[in-house]
């Protein structure tokens, strides 16, 4: 129960809300013009005339070049378990089978057994490893066994929260187990209304969750599970105090799932403080994907960057699904508008766009209605978008870590990808 009083006289209807006022029903929920640019080749030192006097040049340009034309197969991981081995409810096993998950991914294989025993989990894993199911399966199983069980899942971005909700809904279809998404940029009143209905799982972004806790709409004192997804990203985004506050509100004996791609000091300390003897599971992360061919596009003096971009995009049968990164919200929007004007099927996601617009663009990109998506790093964080053929860094990322995250959007699941970075 998330509030101090049971709701609607039901013994089996946990609720995050302290309101208790609702009587509503449960709800279901991407020829080279040598005169203007050249591809790769040149100096691999990152210095010389291309050196920019900005903070960006902290990254050696040679790190953006890696021509591995061979598609290397992922190292085959042999799981020690099958989903059938897990001591989970038959309905959940069926839901997993319906999602066509046959073998647990490494993170799932190594963590689910322990999570089912109630252990805290520290997962060092990036997006694309199957970490979502690694925490959802044990949490959902707990809820199946006890409808009073509740969980809170904290994610850095709205898009990631919604992605988690989608996977959650697929797992719990027909089980009358409900989740509510509470993210910034969407009307809080609707979220409050949903929280006051029957729900076992709240999935949200730190700022909005904090707001709802302070308003008394979410009571964490009896939550049984808490998940921090992409904890290092939340730190980067300035959410450390918010997530600390939320963790402090949860009981000490609740189960904790802490997922992070890296372990910066403040996150390490946070986990030390809030996790109890966690099972540490690391999924090997490569510095860069072996399946991503990386190169730079040098913008020579006087060349128009957008013309250079369009020459690339015009290459037939190559740039099929392109994710373009730019640093600022306004530059993302400007580039997207210009591409649309020039007849490309493009869209944009960045923080100034309304939540619904971002979701719509993402869906259109997923469904191939558009094949170019321009994004800021924050907006694209953690998104699982299959089959991106090219990542283009229209502007050099601020840090190498950001670069690695960006190019990780292509070359997934043993398919070949290309990452091109505009320099000059
Ligand atoms: P995640 O890292 O949780 O974002 O998951 C990355 C992708 O892998 C998602 O599209 C999942 O649906 C998919 N996935 C997760 N676990 C499995 C599994 N055991 N078998 C096949 N696909 C999976």
């Amino acid at each position: 129960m998330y509030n101090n009083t049971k709701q609607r006289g039901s013994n089996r209807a946990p609720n995050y809300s302290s309101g208790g006022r609702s009587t509503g029903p449960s709800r279901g929920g991407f020829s080279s013009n040598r005169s203007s640019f050249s591809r790769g080749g040149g100096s691999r030192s990152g210095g010389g005339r291309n050196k920019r006097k900005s903070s960006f040049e902290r990254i050696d340009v040679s790190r953006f070049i890696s021509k591995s034309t061979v598609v290397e197969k992922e190292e085959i991981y042999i799981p020690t378990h099958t989903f059938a081995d897990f001591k989970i409810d038959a309905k959940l096993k069926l839901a997993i089978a319906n999602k066509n998950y046959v073998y647990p991914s490494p993170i799932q294989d190594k963590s689910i057994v322990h999570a089912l025993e109630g252990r805290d989990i520290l997962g060092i894993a990036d997006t694309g490893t199957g970490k979502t199911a690694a925490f959802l399966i044990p949490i959902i199983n707990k809820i199946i066994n006890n409808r009073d069980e509740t969980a809170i899942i904290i994610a850095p971005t709205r898009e990631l929260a919604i992605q988690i909700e989608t996977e959650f809904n697929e797992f719990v279809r027909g089980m009358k187990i409900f989740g509510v998404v509470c993210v910034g940029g969407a009307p809080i009143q609707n979220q409050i209304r949903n929280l006051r209905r029957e729900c076992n799982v709240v999935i949200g972004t730190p700022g909005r969750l904090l707001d709802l806790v302070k308003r008394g709409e979410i009571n964490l004192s009896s939550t049984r599970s808490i998940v921090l997804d992409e904890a290092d990203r939340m730190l980067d985004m300035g959410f450390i105090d918010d997530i600390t506050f939320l963790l402090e509100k949860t009981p000490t004996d609740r189960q904790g799932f802490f997922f992070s791609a890296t372990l910066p000091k403040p996150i390490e300390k946070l986990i030390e403080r809030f996790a109890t003897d966690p099972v540490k599971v690391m999924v090997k992360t490569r510095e860069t994907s072996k399946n991503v061919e990386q190169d730079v596009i040098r913008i020579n003096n006087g060349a128009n960057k957008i013309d250079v971009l369009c020459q690339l995009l015009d290459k037939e049968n190559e740039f099929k699904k392109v994710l373009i990164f730019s640093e600022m919200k306004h530059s993302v929007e400007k580039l997207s508008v210009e591409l649309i004007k020039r007849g490309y099927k493009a869209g944009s996601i960045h923080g100034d766009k309304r939540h619904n617009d971002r979701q719509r663009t993402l869906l259109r990109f997923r469904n191939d209605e558009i094949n170019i998506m321009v994004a800021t790093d924050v907006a694209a964080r953690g998104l699982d978008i299959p089959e991106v053929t090219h990542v283009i860094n229209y502007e050099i990322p601020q840090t190498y870590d950001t670069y690695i995250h960006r190019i990780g959007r292509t070359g997934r699941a043993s398919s070949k990808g290309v990452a091109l970075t505009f320099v000059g």
Side-chain angles (χ1 to χ4, degrees):
M1 291 292 293
Y2 275 80
N3 51 1
N4 300 325
T5 51
K6 291 248 176 194
Q7 302 280 301
R8 301 195 294 278
S10 163
N11 289 327
R12 293 164 52 93
N15 196 304
Y16 283 85
S17 167
S18 55
R21 283 148 281 192
S22 169
T23 52
S26 304
R27 315 131 292 120
F30 168 58
S31 99
S32 82
N33 176 350
R34 296 276 167 199
S35 66
S36 64
F37 72 94
S38 61
R39 190 169 152 173
S43 161
R44 291 170 74 104
S45 70
R49 63 196 168 86
N50 289 313
K51 191 151 187 151
R52 295 189 345 177
K53 289 185 181 64
S54 74
S55 61
F56 297 156
E57 205 59 30
R58 273 176 295 164
I59 312 165
D60 185 339
V61 169
S62 66
R63 298 177 86 184
F64 302 143
I65 303 171
S66 164
K67 296 193 172 182
S68 78
T69 45
V70 181
V71 174
E72 296 191 39
K73 279 217 176 322
E74 291 272 339
E75 242 173 68
I76 307 239
Y77 174 83
I78 301 171
T80 57
H81 304 94
T82 64
F83 284 112
D85 296 336
F86 294 138
K87 290 187 177 124
I88 54 176
D89 191 273
K91 289 190 287 294
L92 188 50
K93 284 187 182 166
L94 188 64
I96 293 168
N98 285 338
K99 278 181 66 67
N100 294 322
Y101 290 4
V102 180
Y103 296 105
S105 71
I107 188 100
Q108 295 161 4
D109 192 43
K110 293 173 184 172
S111 70
I112 289 177
V113 173
H114 304 290
L116 289 169
E117 289 168 352
R119 296 281 303 271
D120 281 2
I121 303 292
L122 166 53
I124 307 298
D126 211 338
T127 186
T129 54
K131 63 186 166 59
T132 313
F135 61 75
L136 284 179
I137 290 170
I139 287 174
I140 293 167
N141 195 60
K142 287 208 282 189
I143 299 169
I144 292 172
N145 291 330
N146 175 6
R147 295 292 172 137
D148 284 343
E149 282 274 340
T150 53
I152 183 158
I153 301 171
I154 313 174
T157 62
R158 313 164 205 188
E159 281 75 14
L160 183 57
I162 288 164
Q163 209 165 274
I164 296 168
E165 185 207 21
T166 303
E167 184 144 2
F168 172 81
N169 284 335
E170 287 166 2
F171 279 130
V172 300
R173 190 165 296 143
M175 296 182 190
K176 293 199 177 346
I177 292 174
F178 304 105
V180 171
V181 170
C182 298
V183 292
I188 197 165
Q189 287 309 328
N190 293 351
Q191 294 168 3
I192 291 173
R193 200 171 54 241
N194 290 337
L195 285 166
R196 291 176 185 177
R197 295 175 177 174
E198 180 180 342
C199 78
N200 295 83
V201 177
V202 172
I203 308 161
T205 46
R208 180 53 59 92
L209 290 171
L210 186 79
D211 191 351
L212 287 159
V213 168
K214 286 185 173 165
R215 288 169 187 239
E217 297 294 341
I218 295 176
N219 180 344
L220 294 174
S221 66
S222 58
T223 192
R224 300 307 311 146
S225 312
I226 187 163
V227 179
L228 292 194
D229 201 3
E230 303 204 352
D232 52 350
R233 296 279 145 220
M234 295 202 271
L235 172 73
D236 286 352
M237 293 167 78
F239 289 138
I240 189 82
D241 292 341
D242 294 357
I243 53 180
T244 305
F245 177 94
L246 293 166
L247 278 159
E248 280 168 346
K249 296 277 177 219
T250 63
T252 48
D253 65 343
R254 49 91 193 112
Q255 188 173 19
F257 296 81
F258 303 89
F259 287 90
S260 199
T262 59
L263 214 49
K265 258 269 142 349
I267 293 299
E268 206 180 340
K269 278 187 169 161
L270 186 90
I271 292 167
E272 258 170 39
R273 179 174 165 205
F274 290 105
T276 308
D277 187 23
V279 176
K280 198 169 173 180
V281 180
M282 285 219 209
V283 172
K284 201 179 71 172
T285 44
R286 292 159 301 185
E287 196 191 30
T288 56
S289 170
K290 290 182 202 154
N291 295 339
V292 182
E293 180 187 329
Q294 302 162 62
D295 209 346
V296 295
I297 304 291
R298 295 188 183 276
I299 306 295
N300 296 331
N301 279 345
N304 182 325
K305 213 167 159 183
I306 195 158
D307 289 343
V308 174
L309 175 66
C310 292
Q311 286 166 29
L312 286 172
L313 297 173
D314 288 344
K315 288 186 176 178
E316 247 173 80
N317 296 323
E318 270 198 48
F319 290 73
K320 288 183 180 154
K321 197 156 189 156
V322 190
L323 185 54
I324 305 178
F325 285 100
S326 197
E327 287 291 307
M328 313 295 286
K329 297 168 194 170
H330 70 267
S331 57
V332 162
E333 190 56 32
K334 201 172 149 199
L335 180 57
S336 156
V337 166
E338 181 60 28
L339 287 171
I340 292 165
K341 230 191 262 171
R342 294 187 184 209
Y344 295 95
K345 289 193 214 153
S348 65
I349 55 166
H350 54 76
D352 280 350
K353 283 194 104 164
R354 282 184 21 238
H355 173 68
N356 285 345
D357 290 340
R358 291 162 63 161
Q359 281 305 118
R360 202 174 307 120
T361 303
L362 193 56
L363 195 66
R364 293 179 70 214
F365 189 58
R366 277 215 176 100
N367 295 341
D368 294 323
E369 287 166 42
I370 56 174
N371 70 320
I372 301 167
M373 190 164 82
V374 194
T376 54
D377 293 298
V378 170
R381 217 155 251 174
L383 296 184
D384 179 44
I385 304 161
E387 291 156 24
V388 169
T389 59
H390 292 71
V391 166
I392 298 181
N393 295 307
Y394 195 66
E395 280 160 20
I396 298 179
Q398 302 259 12
T399 65
Y400 191 64
D401 185 53
T402 303
Y403 174 77
I404 296 297
H405 271 92
R406 289 182 180 184
I407 73 163
R409 309 275 154 227
T410 184
R412 301 180 90 140
S414 299
S415 64
K416 199 181 141 201
V418 179
L420 300 173
T421 302
F422 279 41
V423 298

